[in-house]
Amino acid sequence: MRRFAPLLLVPLLTACGAQVESAGAADTVTVARCGEQVEYRVPQRAVAYEGGSADKLFALGLTDHVLGYVMPPANPPVTESPYAAEYAKVEMLSDDLLNRELVVDARADLVVAGWRSGFSDERGITPALLDGLGIQSAMHTESCWNYPGFPERVPPIEGLYEDLRRLGAIFRVPDRASALVADLQARVAAVEAAAPDTETPVFLYDSGTDRPFSAANQVPPNDVMRIAGGRNILADVDGRWTDVGWETVVERRPEVIMIMDYGTQSAEDKIAFLKSLPQLRSVPAVRNDRFFVLDYNEGISGPRVIDGLERFGAYMRAL
């Protein structure tokens, strides 16, 4: 079990008024970090990587415990977020990738990110490295399926619920987390109950020209498609984000193409590109002009995934 150096804390109120318990030198709580049990102090200077991490903290009313966020430039502006007011209360620490120097310089006491999405062996910032520096870390459960040494395999939307529960435990606001999870579960259940009794094949197009970059079975869009009455044409690919050949898309004949909307290329330009490819002319989704635009933060682990699910559910019911 990982342990961190003790830190003396004082009582604080969260942004929504939930009381975070006072913590003495021995006050820690044991919470899973992927498949590893870790002891946590109550964080006071949390750093979030990308919108999904920050949104989870804001949705739990923990803005007062967030120092800032790291937001690569391809991400949509935080001013467009439903949590825009919370983003405005904390510091934007960088518009680049997460790195060790940034975290150390910020005197962060918790970093929230995904495995290989924020944390990276290649870039020299991992939970194990931060443990050695006395800096706590929490990972998106949906990214844990291939975490070295402590893998954990959980369906992506179930992973979202688990993240909220774990963060609720770390920050000592479990009741707030339980209420939020119950609300999200009810919204998901409503979409599932109203979904058409079909398995309409769906292909997610993220980017790429020679080979399209898409979603495999370990990322939230796979669950979004399934719950709303669709079926990811790459649901048999064990992974997260992956590239495939165009011939695979043609062979699997998606009836809907989901467009991941982010970066410098607009969703409209992505749709125009797909329509321009001669090899896709026979694909039902292209022939019937069935394109659904998913915002970037509706496709990564965070509470906005449920917004995307509700919108996609309505789209599928209208087909």
Side-chain angles (χ1 to χ4, degrees), residues 39-250:
E39 288 191 5
Y40 288 90
R41 307 176 305 270
V42 179
Q44 304 292 351
R45 298 176 62 84
V47 169
Y49 179 72
E50 287 199 308
S53 301
D55 288 358
K56 289 172 185 175
L57 295 170
F58 295 149
L60 287 167
L62 296 168
T63 306
D64 287 349
H65 295 264
V66 179
L67 169 68
Y69 60 93
V70 176
M71 196 72 70
N75 287 238
V78 299
T79 52
E80 299 175 1
S81 165
Y83 302 101
E86 306 309 309
Y87 279 101
K89 296 173 185 176
V90 302
E91 184 180 354
M92 182 175 181
L93 298 169
S94 174
D95 62 358
D96 202 348
L97 299 176
L98 191 66
N99 64 75
R100 178 177 57 183
E101 290 75 16
L102 181 151
V103 170
V104 172
D105 289 348
R107 295 185 295 113
D109 59 5
L110 177 73
V111 180
V112 184
W115 177 243
R116 302 193 66 80
S117 174
F119 296 121
S120 166
D121 277 321
E122 292 81 2
R123 286 185 285 102
I125 180 165
T126 66
L129 182 145
L130 294 179
D131 287 347
L133 297 175
I135 300 172
Q136 305 175 120
S137 60
M139 278 190 287
H140 303 310
T141 304
E142 60 94 8
S143 72
C144 290
W145 73 283
N146 64 346
Y147 179 54
F150 301 95
E152 181 180 27
R153 192 182 185 95
V154 178
I157 288 183
E158 290 296 328
L160 167 61
Y161 303 151
E162 189 60 26
D163 291 343
L164 294 170
R165 294 187 189 103
R166 291 176 183 180
L167 288 169
I170 290 168
F171 284 91
R172 317 304 198 266
V173 289
D175 291 345
R176 175 69 175 119
S178 295
L180 178 58
V181 168
D183 177 67
L184 297 178
Q185 288 175 323
R187 291 169 62 189
V188 170
V191 174
E192 189 166 27
D197 187 19
T198 62
E199 289 191 355
T200 302
V202 183
F203 169 63
L204 182 143
Y205 178 67
D206 178 289
S207 58
T209 53
D210 295 338
R211 289 173 62 85
F213 196 59
S214 187
N217 62 17
Q218 294 296 308
V219 289
N222 186 76
D223 281 2
V224 168
M225 297 175 196
R226 175 183 55 80
I227 294 168
R231 173 179 53 81
N232 182 5
I233 67 166
L234 299 180
D236 61 333
V237 178
D238 209 23
R240 299 187 71 225
W241 301 98
T242 188
D243 65 336
V244 296
W246 288 114
E247 62 276 9
T248 299
V249 181
V250 174

